[in-house]
Amino acid sequence: MRYLPQTIIRKKRDGFELSGDELRDFAFGVADGSVSEAQIAAFAMAVYFQDISPRERVDWTLAVRDSGTVLSWGKAGAGARPSAGTAPEFELDGPVVDKHSTGGVGDVVSLMLGPMLAACGTYVPMIAGRGLAHTGGTIDKLESIPGYVTGLSPADFQRVVRDVGISIVRQTDTIAPTDRRMYAVRDVTATVENRGLITGSIVAKKLVAGLDALVLDVKTGNGAVMQNRSDALALARMMVDVGNNAGMPTFAHVTDMSEPLAFSAGNALEVHEAISYLTDGPRHPRLEAVVEALGADLLVQCGKFSGPDARPEALSALRHSISSGSAAERFERMVDAMGGPADLLARPSNYLSAAPVVLPVYADRPGVVSGMDVRALGWSVVTLGGGRTTPGAAINPAVGLSALAQVGASVGPSSSTQPLAQVHAATQAEAETAAASVRAAFQFAEPGASVASCDVLLEVVR
Ligand code: URA
């Protein structure tokens, strides 16, 4: 390194702008291990307090992208535009697309939308992350599937994308290595909530994947990293601009996270819910709204559907991918190709671990759910062992919450009423601690009150 890590950290701590060379040096030092975990934490906290400028944000994002291999794809077929330097074995006959969320609770969108997009003729090289702070992570969810290997070499990753249409992997020593270490440290040091670091994490991973189009799901509300809507909008604007300026057509949906997005929150529990969705089982209405809006707009953005009826045609293709079973088949083939069981969809309970204690949580008195502290629900899952308190710690895939009551549900104290949730825990004591937190996280209106959920789709940023 040309610049000492402590000099870079001090400069940022004291509120000065870092040069492109300094940011690149630090990012590459994170990747090659010459910057320590303590220095990563200090840097992230300095950025959290002092923030980074628009110019630093772009330099940081490009440095994180360049810390490992950047993928490229060739285009086969009519209208093909051969990409310089692309191995012919990675020629694809459709657009390369992806989605990424800023993180939520019960945010299992990627597990169904990825296979749905692949079933609609696009290719989805998804580089995802583990749980971050109180939010769940796609990689932790997939690792609850026995045998599923999330860390592939770039060539193996590209091979699965080419053959199956989708592969979901994590950051590795060669794929976005700076984000791999930064992400793990930010998770446990209260440094997630900085727009520049989020942009550098999300947009960099997507630039690595060589996309033709990207949709971002920027969450707002009490369960989001950016709780306040204007902060979420500013983050969306920032990521969309950095993505577009780097040559990757990018847009964002700002969506509400003041209710969990699914019936469950927890790794194996969310995989069960994704399988149910993909196999035409019950679908959480808010989850379905987000999956379909992101998916349909992305299929239009990447040119898969065009003309005046493009949006309804894209939506109907997505729905057909569920009713025909083709999205489920893509998911099954991906799990198989990544080392998981070939018959996961037919027998999920044979493979996904279940917690020994399942405890229903009831309200203290009759009422109607009028709101909830979603961040507290997310922390309950972490406390149960479904997330981490130190970088790289093992998690328990089986724990979490299921049957989460939605806003407007009538609940009560007796076992004949709807519970607020079911707690899945490793021990009775942990279940009871979590049950108390879950009960405290809900707010109620009087019995019989009519309470409606707020809209989940808030606005689009292009
Ligand atoms: N997802 C990411 O990959 N990075 C973040 O910083 C937040 C969500």
Side-chain angles (χ1 to χ4, degrees):
M1 287 181 76
R2 276 174 302 167
Y3 303 93
L4 289 175
Q6 53 269 52
T7 313
I8 296 173
I9 296 164
R10 182 180 300 110
K11 191 168 168 187
K12 182 41 70 186
R13 181 200 68 188
D14 294 344
F16 296 102
E17 237 193 339
L18 296 170
S19 69
D21 283 348
E22 286 167 321
L23 287 164
R24 226 170 157 77
D25 235 31
F26 195 85
F28 289 7
V30 173
D32 69 20
S34 52
V35 171
S36 74
E37 217 165 67
Q39 289 167 327
I40 296 174
F43 175 79
M45 195 57 91
V47 171
Y48 178 84
F49 280 116
Q50 297 292 357
D51 212 349
I52 52 177
S53 67
R55 199 267 308 145
E56 285 176 298
R57 199 185 294 151
V58 173
D59 285 343
W60 176 249
T61 303
L62 299 181
V64 177
R65 175 196 67 186
D66 296 340
S67 66
T69 305
V70 178
L71 308 183
S72 64
W73 308 92
K75 299 284 167 181
R81 48 174 174 81
S83 318
T86 306
E89 61 177 312
F90 297 131
E91 282 195 356
L92 305 178
D93 59 2
V96 183
V97 302
D98 198 3
K99 63 77 61 174
H100 201 95
S101 157
T102 54
V105 176
D107 180 1
V108 64
V109 170
S110 295
L111 292 197
M112 46 282 247
L113 184 53
M116 290 165 78
L117 291 166
C120 291
T122 66
Y123 290 85
V124 187
M126 190 182 289
I127 304 169
R130 300 185 185 283
L132 199 55
H134 65 286
T135 69
T138 300
I139 292 303
D140 288 335
K141 295 170 203 180
L142 287 169
E143 287 185 350
S144 68
I145 302 170
Y148 190 112
V149 176
T150 55
L152 295 189
S153 69
D156 286 343
F157 177 38
Q158 290 196 272
R159 220 164 276 130
V160 178
V161 172
R162 181 199 60 196
D163 295 347
V164 181
I166 174 166
S167 175
I168 307 181
V169 299
R170 63 175 165 80
Q171 315 95 317
T172 63
D173 287 346
T174 41
I175 298 177
T178 298
D179 189 51
R180 183 177 71 81
R181 291 189 72 214
M182 288 285 304
Y183 194 98
V185 172
R186 288 167 63 225
D187 175 31
V188 294
T189 53
T191 50
V192 171
E193 299 97 333
N194 174 271
R195 289 194 290 255
L197 293 179
I198 296 173
T199 303
S201 170
I202 294 182
V203 179
K205 285 197 286 288
K206 304 297 126 176
L207 290 171
V208 165
L211 306 180
D212 296 320
L214 168 68
V215 60
L216 296 163
D217 183 3
V218 179
K219 305 286 188 195
T220 186
N222 67 35
V225 173
M226 293 293 146
Q227 301 202 4
N228 173 302
R229 181 144 167 196
S230 62
D231 288 343
L233 264 175
L235 174 60
R237 180 80 271 146
M238 191 182 281
M239 290 199 290
V240 167
D241 288 348
V242 174
N244 281 322
N245 289 337
M248 173 176 61
T250 304
F251 68 102
H253 271 269
V254 178
T255 69
D256 177 71
M257 186 35 73
S258 56
E259 278 190 60
L261 202 56
F263 297 118
S264 47
N267 297 301
L269 293 166
E270 289 182 54
V271 174
H272 271 293
E273 185 155 349
I275 290 173
S276 159
Y277 189 118
L278 286 166
T279 52
D280 225 358
R283 281 170 232 160
H284 192 291
R286 295 171 81 77
L287 181 59
E288 185 172 37
V290 172
V291 166
E292 292 192 341
L294 264 57
D297 287 347
L298 184 58
L299 288 172
V300 175
Q301 170 76 43
C302 73
K304 191 70 202 168
F305 290 87
S306 52
D309 294 327
R311 182 59 165 69
E313 282 170 14
L315 189 54
S316 117
L318 287 165
R319 290 182 177 163
H320 182 70
S321 77
I322 295 293
S323 59
S324 66
S326 57
E329 190 224 334
R330 294 290 173 146
F331 182 77
E332 192 159 58
R333 281 174 56 202
M334 173 183 75
V335 169
D336 185 25
M338 306 291 287
D343 60 345
L344 178 72
L345 265 63
R347 276 171 284 281
S349 300
N350 283 8
Y351 297 106
L352 298 170
S353 52
V357 180
V358 181
L359 185 69
V361 187
Y362 293 97
D364 289 328
R365 58 189 176 81
V368 172
V369 174
S370 59
M372 57 200 84
D373 179 346
V374 180
R375 184 171 280 240
L377 294 174
W379 284 125
S380 300
V381 177
V382 174
T383 307
L384 281 164
R388 297 176 181 78
T389 51
T390 52
I395 58 165
N396 184 344
V399 299
L401 309 172
S402 67
L404 281 156
Q406 293 170 243
V407 167
S410 290
V411 293
S414 83
S415 58
S416 61
T417 57
Q418 180 181 341
L420 300 172
Q422 306 264 7
V423 172
H424 299 245
T427 66
Q428 185 66 27
E430 284 168 1
E432 281 165 18
T433 304
S437 311
V438 168
R439 202 173 289 112
F442 278 81
Q443 294 114 38
F444 305 97
E446 288 308 309
S450 158
V451 186
S453 282
C454 65
D455 289 342
V456 65
L457 299 171
L458 300 177
E459 59 195 283
V460 178
V461 175
R462 290 188 185 272

PDB file of all heavy atoms in Angstrom, residues 100-103 127-130 132 135 171 179 183 186 192 194 197-202 205 225, ligand 1:
ATOM      1  N   HIS A 100     -31.583  -6.126  -6.479  1.00  0.00           N
ATOM      2  CA  HIS A 100     -30.910  -6.149  -5.180  1.00  0.00           C
ATOM      3  C   HIS A 100     -31.696  -5.254  -4.237  1.00  0.00           C
ATOM      4  O   HIS A 100     -32.182  -4.200  -4.626  1.00  0.00           O
ATOM      5  CB  HIS A 100     -29.471  -5.648  -5.302  1.00  0.00           C
ATOM      6  CG  HIS A 100     -28.590  -6.105  -4.186  1.00  0.00           C
ATOM      7  ND1 HIS A 100     -27.803  -7.230  -4.278  1.00  0.00           N
ATOM      8  CD2 HIS A 100     -28.385  -5.618  -2.940  1.00  0.00           C
ATOM      9  CE1 HIS A 100     -27.138  -7.401  -3.145  1.00  0.00           C
ATOM     10  NE2 HIS A 100     -27.480  -6.435  -2.311  1.00  0.00           N
ATOM     11  N   SER A 101     -31.809  -5.707  -3.004  1.00  0.00           N
ATOM     12  CA  SER A 101     -32.557  -4.948  -1.998  1.00  0.00           C
ATOM     13  C   SER A 101     -31.587  -4.342  -1.000  1.00  0.00           C
ATOM     14  O   SER A 101     -30.509  -4.900  -0.753  1.00  0.00           O
ATOM     15  CB  SER A 101     -33.522  -5.902  -1.302  1.00  0.00           C
ATOM     16  OG  SER A 101     -33.881  -5.418  -0.039  1.00  0.00           O
ATOM     17  N   THR A 102     -31.993  -3.216  -0.401  1.00  0.00           N
ATOM     18  CA  THR A 102     -31.150  -2.635   0.650  1.00  0.00           C
ATOM     19  C   THR A 102     -31.340  -3.373   1.967  1.00  0.00           C
ATOM     20  O   THR A 102     -30.667  -3.075   2.937  1.00  0.00           O
ATOM     21  CB  THR A 102     -31.457  -1.137   0.839  1.00  0.00           C
ATOM     22  OG1 THR A 102     -32.864  -0.993   1.073  1.00  0.00           O
ATOM     23  CG2 THR A 102     -31.065  -0.343  -0.387  1.00  0.00           C
ATOM     24  N   GLY A 103     -32.271  -4.324   2.008  1.00  0.00           N
ATOM     25  CA  GLY A 103     -32.373  -5.186   3.190  1.00  0.00           C
ATOM     26  C   GLY A 103     -33.646  -4.966   3.976  1.00  0.00           C
ATOM     27  O   GLY A 103     -34.041  -3.843   4.244  1.00  0.00           O
ATOM     28  N   ILE A 127     -25.007 -11.757  -7.200  1.00  0.00           N
ATOM     29  CA  ILE A 127     -24.020 -11.774  -6.110  1.00  0.00           C
ATOM     30  C   ILE A 127     -24.720 -11.129  -4.915  1.00  0.00           C
ATOM     31  O   ILE A 127     -25.070  -9.952  -4.953  1.00  0.00           O
ATOM     32  CB  ILE A 127     -22.750 -10.989  -6.484  1.00  0.00           C
ATOM     33  CG1 ILE A 127     -22.145 -11.544  -7.779  1.00  0.00           C
ATOM     34  CG2 ILE A 127     -21.731 -11.059  -5.342  1.00  0.00           C
ATOM     35  CD1 ILE A 127     -21.034 -10.676  -8.379  1.00  0.00           C
ATOM     36  N   ALA A 128     -24.952 -11.929  -3.886  1.00  0.00           N
ATOM     37  CA  ALA A 128     -25.768 -11.471  -2.757  1.00  0.00           C
ATOM     38  C   ALA A 128     -24.932 -11.476  -1.488  1.00  0.00           C
ATOM     39  O   ALA A 128     -23.746 -11.806  -1.494  1.00  0.00           O
ATOM     40  CB  ALA A 128     -26.988 -12.369  -2.629  1.00  0.00           C
ATOM     41  N   GLY A 129     -25.584 -11.111  -0.380  1.00  0.00           N
ATOM     42  CA  GLY A 129     -24.860 -11.023   0.884  1.00  0.00           C
ATOM     43  C   GLY A 129     -25.549 -11.830   1.973  1.00  0.00           C
ATOM     44  O   GLY A 129     -26.650 -12.354   1.793  1.00  0.00           O
ATOM     45  N   ARG A 130     -24.863 -11.909   3.111  1.00  0.00           N
ATOM     46  CA  ARG A 130     -25.451 -12.551   4.293  1.00  0.00           C
ATOM     47  C   ARG A 130     -26.327 -11.526   5.017  1.00  0.00           C
ATOM     48  O   ARG A 130     -26.478 -10.403   4.561  1.00  0.00           O
ATOM     49  CB  ARG A 130     -24.330 -13.025   5.214  1.00  0.00           C
ATOM     50  CG  ARG A 130     -23.388 -14.037   4.565  1.00  0.00           C
ATOM     51  CD  ARG A 130     -22.387 -14.551   5.587  1.00  0.00           C
ATOM     52  NE  ARG A 130     -21.409 -15.428   4.946  1.00  0.00           N
ATOM     53  CZ  ARG A 130     -21.635 -16.694   4.586  1.00  0.00           C
ATOM     54  NH1 ARG A 130     -22.810 -17.247   4.821  1.00  0.00           N
ATOM     55  NH2 ARG A 130     -20.701 -17.417   4.006  1.00  0.00           N
ATOM     56  N   LEU A 132     -27.456  -8.609   7.352  1.00  0.00           N
ATOM     57  CA  LEU A 132     -26.752  -7.362   7.638  1.00  0.00           C
ATOM     58  C   LEU A 132     -27.557  -6.641   8.714  1.00  0.00           C
ATOM     59  O   LEU A 132     -28.732  -6.330   8.499  1.00  0.00           O
ATOM     60  CB  LEU A 132     -26.686  -6.532   6.349  1.00  0.00           C
ATOM     61  CG  LEU A 132     -25.664  -5.418   6.248  1.00  0.00           C
ATOM     62  CD1 LEU A 132     -24.248  -5.911   6.518  1.00  0.00           C
ATOM     63  CD2 LEU A 132     -25.716  -4.771   4.875  1.00  0.00           C
ATOM     64  N   THR A 135     -31.384  -7.113   9.329  1.00  0.00           N
ATOM     65  CA  THR A 135     -32.040  -7.621   8.116  1.00  0.00           C
ATOM     66  C   THR A 135     -31.497  -8.999   7.731  1.00  0.00           C
ATOM     67  O   THR A 135     -30.348  -9.324   8.021  1.00  0.00           O
ATOM     68  CB  THR A 135     -31.847  -6.645   6.928  1.00  0.00           C
ATOM     69  OG1 THR A 135     -30.475  -6.653   6.519  1.00  0.00           O
ATOM     70  CG2 THR A 135     -32.232  -5.221   7.289  1.00  0.00           C
ATOM     71  N   GLN A 171     -19.971 -12.996  -2.079  1.00  0.00           N
ATOM     72  CA  GLN A 171     -18.649 -12.424  -2.328  1.00  0.00           C
ATOM     73  C   GLN A 171     -17.602 -13.455  -1.879  1.00  0.00           C
ATOM     74  O   GLN A 171     -17.823 -14.178  -0.906  1.00  0.00           O
ATOM     75  CB  GLN A 171     -18.432 -11.144  -1.514  1.00  0.00           C
ATOM     76  CG  GLN A 171     -19.580 -10.151  -1.495  1.00  0.00           C
ATOM     77  CD  GLN A 171     -20.473 -10.335  -0.282  1.00  0.00           C
ATOM     78  OE1 GLN A 171     -20.817 -11.449   0.095  1.00  0.00           O
ATOM     79  NE2 GLN A 171     -20.874  -9.233   0.327  1.00  0.00           N
ATOM     80  N   ASP A 179     -15.846  -6.108  -0.666  1.00  0.00           N
ATOM     81  CA  ASP A 179     -17.173  -6.103  -0.044  1.00  0.00           C
ATOM     82  C   ASP A 179     -17.335  -7.287   0.914  1.00  0.00           C
ATOM     83  O   ASP A 179     -18.018  -7.173   1.924  1.00  0.00           O
ATOM     84  CB  ASP A 179     -18.279  -6.118  -1.102  1.00  0.00           C
ATOM     85  CG  ASP A 179     -19.649  -5.894  -0.468  1.00  0.00           C
ATOM     86  OD1 ASP A 179     -19.788  -4.922   0.286  1.00  0.00           O
ATOM     87  OD2 ASP A 179     -20.558  -6.715  -0.690  1.00  0.00           O
ATOM     88  N   TYR A 183     -18.439  -6.000   4.457  1.00  0.00           N
ATOM     89  CA  TYR A 183     -19.827  -6.367   4.759  1.00  0.00           C
ATOM     90  C   TYR A 183     -19.903  -7.062   6.120  1.00  0.00           C
ATOM     91  O   TYR A 183     -20.742  -6.745   6.965  1.00  0.00           O
ATOM     92  CB  TYR A 183     -20.280  -7.301   3.637  1.00  0.00           C
ATOM     93  CG  TYR A 183     -21.751  -7.570   3.505  1.00  0.00           C
ATOM     94  CD1 TYR A 183     -22.519  -6.876   2.576  1.00  0.00           C
ATOM     95  CD2 TYR A 183     -22.373  -8.558   4.260  1.00  0.00           C
ATOM     96  CE1 TYR A 183     -23.869  -7.160   2.414  1.00  0.00           C
ATOM     97  CE2 TYR A 183     -23.715  -8.840   4.109  1.00  0.00           C
ATOM     98  CZ  TYR A 183     -24.457  -8.135   3.179  1.00  0.00           C
ATOM     99  OH  TYR A 183     -25.789  -8.421   3.033  1.00  0.00           O
ATOM    100  N   ARG A 186     -19.221  -4.458   8.862  1.00  0.00           N
ATOM    101  CA  ARG A 186     -20.339  -3.509   9.009  1.00  0.00           C
ATOM    102  C   ARG A 186     -21.518  -4.165   9.718  1.00  0.00           C
ATOM    103  O   ARG A 186     -22.215  -3.537  10.515  1.00  0.00           O
ATOM    104  CB  ARG A 186     -20.783  -2.989   7.629  1.00  0.00           C
ATOM    105  CG  ARG A 186     -19.792  -2.009   6.995  1.00  0.00           C
ATOM    106  CD  ARG A 186     -20.119  -1.780   5.521  1.00  0.00           C
ATOM    107  NE  ARG A 186     -21.405  -1.171   5.313  1.00  0.00           N
ATOM    108  CZ  ARG A 186     -22.308  -1.570   4.396  1.00  0.00           C
ATOM    109  NH1 ARG A 186     -22.038  -2.603   3.603  1.00  0.00           N
ATOM    110  NH2 ARG A 186     -23.458  -0.963   4.271  1.00  0.00           N
ATOM    111  N   VAL A 192     -23.795   0.063   9.209  1.00  0.00           N
ATOM    112  CA  VAL A 192     -24.484  -0.247   7.943  1.00  0.00           C
ATOM    113  C   VAL A 192     -25.106   1.017   7.348  1.00  0.00           C
ATOM    114  O   VAL A 192     -25.080   1.227   6.137  1.00  0.00           O
ATOM    115  CB  VAL A 192     -25.564  -1.328   8.174  1.00  0.00           C
ATOM    116  CG1 VAL A 192     -26.433  -1.507   6.945  1.00  0.00           C
ATOM    117  CG2 VAL A 192     -24.914  -2.643   8.571  1.00  0.00           C
ATOM    118  N   ASN A 194     -24.943   3.950   6.208  1.00  0.00           N
ATOM    119  CA  ASN A 194     -24.302   5.064   5.509  1.00  0.00           C
ATOM    120  C   ASN A 194     -24.526   4.877   4.018  1.00  0.00           C
ATOM    121  O   ASN A 194     -24.195   3.826   3.465  1.00  0.00           O
ATOM    122  CB  ASN A 194     -22.804   5.126   5.821  1.00  0.00           C
ATOM    123  CG  ASN A 194     -22.131   6.200   4.981  1.00  0.00           C
ATOM    124  OD1 ASN A 194     -21.680   5.942   3.877  1.00  0.00           O
ATOM    125  ND2 ASN A 194     -22.104   7.420   5.476  1.00  0.00           N
ATOM    126  N   LEU A 197     -21.488   3.861   1.833  1.00  0.00           N
ATOM    127  CA  LEU A 197     -21.043   2.472   2.014  1.00  0.00           C
ATOM    128  C   LEU A 197     -22.046   1.494   1.399  1.00  0.00           C
ATOM    129  O   LEU A 197     -21.664   0.460   0.835  1.00  0.00           O
ATOM    130  CB  LEU A 197     -20.838   2.159   3.503  1.00  0.00           C
ATOM    131  CG  LEU A 197     -19.684   2.898   4.194  1.00  0.00           C
ATOM    132  CD1 LEU A 197     -19.611   2.519   5.670  1.00  0.00           C
ATOM    133  CD2 LEU A 197     -18.345   2.597   3.504  1.00  0.00           C
ATOM    134  N   ILE A 198     -23.331   1.813   1.506  1.00  0.00           N
ATOM    135  CA  ILE A 198     -24.344   0.927   0.905  1.00  0.00           C
ATOM    136  C   ILE A 198     -24.187   0.932  -0.622  1.00  0.00           C
ATOM    137  O   ILE A 198     -24.205  -0.122  -1.274  1.00  0.00           O
ATOM    138  CB  ILE A 198     -25.771   1.359   1.324  1.00  0.00           C
ATOM    139  CG1 ILE A 198     -25.949   1.209   2.836  1.00  0.00           C
ATOM    140  CG2 ILE A 198     -26.821   0.540   0.581  1.00  0.00           C
ATOM    141  CD1 ILE A 198     -27.264   1.757   3.378  1.00  0.00           C
ATOM    142  N   THR A 199     -23.996   2.134  -1.173  1.00  0.00           N
ATOM    143  CA  THR A 199     -23.811   2.229  -2.630  1.00  0.00           C
ATOM    144  C   THR A 199     -22.562   1.453  -3.057  1.00  0.00           C
ATOM    145  O   THR A 199     -22.586   0.676  -4.016  1.00  0.00           O
ATOM    146  CB  THR A 199     -23.697   3.714  -3.055  1.00  0.00           C
ATOM    147  OG1 THR A 199     -24.866   4.395  -2.615  1.00  0.00           O
ATOM    148  CG2 THR A 199     -23.557   3.857  -4.555  1.00  0.00           C
ATOM    149  N   GLY A 200     -21.486   1.649  -2.318  1.00  0.00           N
ATOM    150  CA  GLY A 200     -20.241   0.943  -2.643  1.00  0.00           C
ATOM    151  C   GLY A 200     -20.376  -0.557  -2.518  1.00  0.00           C
ATOM    152  O   GLY A 200     -19.674  -1.311  -3.181  1.00  0.00           O
ATOM    153  N   SER A 201     -21.274  -1.002  -1.657  1.00  0.00           N
ATOM    154  CA  SER A 201     -21.471  -2.439  -1.478  1.00  0.00           C
ATOM    155  C   SER A 201     -22.390  -2.998  -2.575  1.00  0.00           C
ATOM    156  O   SER A 201     -22.039  -3.958  -3.272  1.00  0.00           O
ATOM    157  CB  SER A 201     -22.078  -2.675  -0.086  1.00  0.00           C
ATOM    158  OG  SER A 201     -22.488  -3.997   0.063  1.00  0.00           O
ATOM    159  N   ILE A 202     -23.546  -2.382  -2.729  1.00  0.00           N
ATOM    160  CA  ILE A 202     -24.541  -2.946  -3.660  1.00  0.00           C
ATOM    161  C   ILE A 202     -24.142  -2.706  -5.124  1.00  0.00           C
ATOM    162  O   ILE A 202     -24.069  -3.647  -5.920  1.00  0.00           O
ATOM    163  CB  ILE A 202     -25.947  -2.357  -3.395  1.00  0.00           C
ATOM    164  CG1 ILE A 202     -26.436  -2.800  -2.012  1.00  0.00           C
ATOM    165  CG2 ILE A 202     -26.927  -2.777  -4.487  1.00  0.00           C
ATOM    166  CD1 ILE A 202     -27.825  -2.324  -1.650  1.00  0.00           C
ATOM    167  N   LYS A 205     -21.112  -4.715  -6.384  1.00  0.00           N
ATOM    168  CA  LYS A 205     -21.366  -6.147  -6.662  1.00  0.00           C
ATOM    169  C   LYS A 205     -22.085  -6.314  -7.998  1.00  0.00           C
ATOM    170  O   LYS A 205     -21.866  -7.278  -8.732  1.00  0.00           O
ATOM    171  CB  LYS A 205     -22.229  -6.769  -5.550  1.00  0.00           C
ATOM    172  CG  LYS A 205     -21.469  -7.031  -4.265  1.00  0.00           C
ATOM    173  CD  LYS A 205     -22.202  -7.981  -3.357  1.00  0.00           C
ATOM    174  CE  LYS A 205     -23.400  -7.418  -2.660  1.00  0.00           C
ATOM    175  NZ  LYS A 205     -23.138  -6.456  -1.580  1.00  0.00           N
ATOM    176  N   VAL A 225     -33.125  -0.162   6.556  1.00  0.00           N
ATOM    177  CA  VAL A 225     -31.874   0.478   6.962  1.00  0.00           C
ATOM    178  C   VAL A 225     -32.079   1.998   6.924  1.00  0.00           C
ATOM    179  O   VAL A 225     -31.679   2.721   7.833  1.00  0.00           O
ATOM    180  CB  VAL A 225     -30.735   0.031   6.019  1.00  0.00           C
ATOM    181  CG1 VAL A 225     -29.461   0.804   6.311  1.00  0.00           C
ATOM    182  CG2 VAL A 225     -30.483  -1.476   6.170  1.00  0.00           C
TER     183      VAL A 225
HETATM  184  N1  URA B   1     -27.102  -5.147   0.699  1.00  0.00           N
HETATM  185  C1  URA B   1     -25.786  -5.107   0.386  1.00  0.00           C
HETATM  186  O1  URA B   1     -25.315  -5.928  -0.390  1.00  0.00           O
HETATM  187  N2  URA B   1     -25.025  -4.160   0.933  1.00  0.00           N
HETATM  188  C2  URA B   1     -25.498  -3.239   1.776  1.00  0.00           C
HETATM  189  O2  URA B   1     -24.751  -2.382   2.224  1.00  0.00           O
HETATM  190  C3  URA B   1     -26.877  -3.267   2.103  1.00  0.00           C
HETATM  191  C4  URA B   1     -27.661  -4.252   1.554  1.00  0.00           C
END
